Amino acid sequence: MVRPITTLGKYLMLMGRVFARPERFRMYLKQYRNEMAQLGINSIGIVLLISFFIGAVICIQIKLNIESPWMPRFVVGYTTREILLLEFSSSIMCLILAGKVGSNIASEIGTMRVTQQIDALDIMGVNSASYLILPKILGLMTMIPLLVTFSIFAGVIGAFCTAWFAGITNATDLEYGFQYSFVEWYVWCSFIKSLVFAFIITSVSAYFGYTVEGGSIAVGKASTDSVVCSSVLILFSDLILTQLLS
């Protein structure tokens, strides 16, 4: 019981240092642009690929498992859209990014810690926590709505490709289902949830990397712990946010 409370206290103290007032905004702005490219733009490929196939799989599964003469034909498109908007393109995609982005952040900062690069920044009077972590948090939170948008469209395209080339369902019925009873708030819910998840991924991963002690083995363990902890917190936050935003 003591260890989780101690970890939470250290995490909050680190976040207090992270969100301190920057000394030189120009230096932070350059780092912020680099993190947007590294964490956001470099993740577009895997987001598009996974979302495309997940959209196709959802379409096939819905068609095969709820097919009934009593069920409207457009329900396949409707259900696929709701799954993409409410859960996959925000929650499940951020779980995937926790593995890719989170482990990258933890290992990068952890390596800097064990090679004493962070100690060198502190000796030079630089707020190392803010300089290393704040641009990562802001960079991913800036890019995550774009990644969510790409994920939604890639999932829709995957569903349509299934309808066109595999003959699972009629493309006209699928299109009508995507448009039927559309609720714009669901898109905003997806954006809001993804922003919270992006903060969790970057801050938790950065904490495990920043506080690592030991050598390369400790860095690997910190990377694994960051992914596990981020994933659990994302699922827990998803439960709370779904209840609050519904």
Side-chain angles (χ1 to χ4, degrees):
M1 188 63 186
V2 176
R3 184 177 179 183
I5 296 176
T6 303
T7 302
L8 177 61
K10 291 181 179 179
Y11 170 80
L12 294 177
M13 291 174 62
L14 179 63
M15 289 301 105
R17 292 181 57 195
V18 167
F19 289 98
R21 187 176 183 274
E23 296 91 351
R24 295 176 58 187
F25 283 98
R26 183 177 299 179
M27 181 176 62
Y28 278 73
L29 183 61
K30 180 181 179 181
Q31 192 73 1
Y32 168 66
R33 290 197 300 263
N34 293 336
E35 297 299 342
M36 286 177 61
Q38 181 177 351
L39 303 180
I41 296 177
N42 291 346
S43 300
I44 291 178
I46 189 172
V47 168
L48 291 176
L49 182 64
I50 294 176
S51 300
F52 177 86
F53 286 107
I54 290 296
V57 170
I58 291 174
C59 182
I60 294 173
Q61 291 287 359
I62 296 298
K63 175 63 177 177
L64 295 179
N65 289 283
I66 67 171
E67 187 174 13
S68 169
W70 303 100
M71 194 73 66
R73 289 181 296 180
F74 67 82
V75 76
V76 176
Y78 173 79
T79 309
T80 302
R81 184 198 71 197
E82 297 298 279
I83 293 174
L84 289 173
L85 288 180
L86 294 176
E87 281 304 318
F88 176 77
S89 293
S90 57
S91 307
I92 307 302
M93 189 196 69
C94 285
L95 284 174
I96 296 170
L97 290 178
K100 177 186 181 297
V101 174
S103 61
N104 180 42
I105 292 174
S107 59
E108 177 185 342
I109 298 181
T111 302
M112 295 183 68
R113 168 63 73 185
V114 299
T115 56
Q116 300 181 350
Q117 297 180 51
I118 294 179
D119 296 332
L121 289 173
D122 292 333
I123 291 174
M124 291 187 295
V126 177
N127 184 351
S128 59
S130 180
Y131 176 72
L132 295 174
I133 300 175
L134 184 59
K136 296 182 185 296
I137 294 176
L138 296 180
L140 187 59
M141 290 184 68
T142 302
M143 296 300 296
I144 201 69
L146 181 64
L147 296 177
V148 169
T149 304
F150 283 162
S151 176
I152 294 172
F153 279 103
V156 170
I157 293 173
F160 270 110
C161 288
T162 302
W164 286 328
F165 300 114
I168 295 296
T169 185
N170 189 287
T172 303
D173 295 333
L174 187 67
E175 179 182 0
Y176 181 77
F178 276 121
Q179 298 175 350
Y180 178 77
S181 188
F182 176 72
V183 180
E184 184 182 353
W185 173 243
Y186 290 165
V187 179
W188 291 107
C189 285
S190 186
F191 287 158
I192 293 171
K193 290 165 66 175
S194 64
L195 286 172
V196 175
F197 300 155
F199 176 81
I200 291 174
I201 292 171
T202 48
S203 62
V204 171
S205 301
Y207 166 78
F208 278 99
Y210 194 87
T211 57
V212 70
E213 295 179 356
S216 58
I217 297 178
V219 173
K221 185 178 184 300
S223 178
T224 303
D225 291 343
S226 70
V227 175
V228 173
C229 188
S230 298
S231 300
V232 172
L233 289 176
I234 286 173
L235 293 173
F236 180 71
S237 302
D238 185 31
L239 178 64
I240 296 176
L241 290 173
T242 300
Q243 182 65 30
L244 293 176
L245 298 174
S246 298

